[in-house]
């Protein structure tokens, strides 16, 4: 089920939905990013067979907002798109964490430093865009994850 929260930050009337956002990610993601008043760089493709399942909105007024969107395929694999916007932080803490996680490979894609990780329960990719920490994480394959981040 969807949990919504009103974001109290002012909305920039000039902010428009980037090309491809709706076609790739669908109405729920566009609505969530509009409510957060931010459109970070996201992949332009998702793997075949994955469909939107759910949205969870969490946060603390004036401090941060976080949106989690779950996508799954018929085989039971999934990935979450997690976007966290910190109103009080310039994301230096997230940049520091990206460098320090053991087993993380940091790669450059289209000007973004992306931290890739794989462990016993899944894969993840994390990057900073528009003062947001963006993460794809789940049980999708590393090949599917790399395909997505290659399209950012």
């Amino acid at each position: 089920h969807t949990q919504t929260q009103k974001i109290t930050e002012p909305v920039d009337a000039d902010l428009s939905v980037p090309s491809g956002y709706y076609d790739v990610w669908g109405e729920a993601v566009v609505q969530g990013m509009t409510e957060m008043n931010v459109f970070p760089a996201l992949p332009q493709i998702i793997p075949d067979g994955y469909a939107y399942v759910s949205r969870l909105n969490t946060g603390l007024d004036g401090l941060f907002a976080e949106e989690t969107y779950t996508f799954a395929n018929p085989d039971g694999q999934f990935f979450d798109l997690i976007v966290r916007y910190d109103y009080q932080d310039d994301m230096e803490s997230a940049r520091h964490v990206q460098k320090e996680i053991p087993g993380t490979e940091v790669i450059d894609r289209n000007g973004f430093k992306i931290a890739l990780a794989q462990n016993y329960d899944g894969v993840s990719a994390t990057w900073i865009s528009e003062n947001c920490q963006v993460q794809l994480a789940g049980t999708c394959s590393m090949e599917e994850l790399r395909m997505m981040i290659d399209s950012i």
Side-chain angles (χ1 to χ4, degrees):
H1 58 59
T2 301
Q3 184 180 21
T4 59
Q5 168 187 337
K6 196 80 128 163
I7 302 302
T8 58
E9 296 297 307
V11 173
D12 180 353
D14 296 329
L15 191 65
S16 60
V17 179
S19 174
Y21 244 72
Y22 188 84
D23 293 339
V24 175
W25 295 101
E27 185 176 346
V29 173
V30 170
Q31 179 183 346
M33 296 303 98
T34 301
E35 289 171 6
M36 286 173 61
N37 193 33
V38 66
F39 288 98
L42 297 180
Q44 295 298 301
I45 57 174
I46 61 174
D48 289 338
Y50 284 83
Y52 170 76
V53 175
S54 65
R55 171 185 177 198
L56 176 65
N57 176 305
T58 58
L60 192 57
D61 278 343
L63 294 179
F64 74 92
E66 186 171 287
E67 293 276 340
T68 302
Y69 306 91
T70 300
F71 293 79
N73 70 17
D75 297 328
Q77 293 176 300
F78 76 93
F79 68 86
D80 290 332
L81 167 66
I82 305 162
V83 179
R84 180 186 172 109
Y85 181 83
D86 285 296
Y87 296 112
Q88 307 295 321
D89 190 359
D90 63 5
M91 298 310 295
E92 281 304 315
S93 57
R95 287 184 187 93
H96 177 72
V97 168
Q98 270 187 309
K99 297 176 195 169
E100 301 298 323
I101 298 172
T104 298
E105 172 190 2
V106 178
I107 61 173
D108 287 304
R109 287 293 182 275
N110 297 319
F112 297 98
K113 289 200 179 303
I114 301 172
L116 288 176
Q118 184 168 14
N119 59 31
Y120 65 92
D121 63 349
V123 295
S124 68
T126 308
W127 64 98
I128 307 298
S129 174
E130 300 296 323
N131 212 39
C132 292
Q133 178 176 309
V134 184
Q135 184 176 55
L136 294 170
T139 61
C140 62
S141 70
M142 181 58 83
E143 181 181 331
E144 289 171 322
L145 183 68
R146 284 183 183 271
M147 178 189 73
M148 286 189 280
I149 64 169
D150 284 347
S151 72
I152 294 174

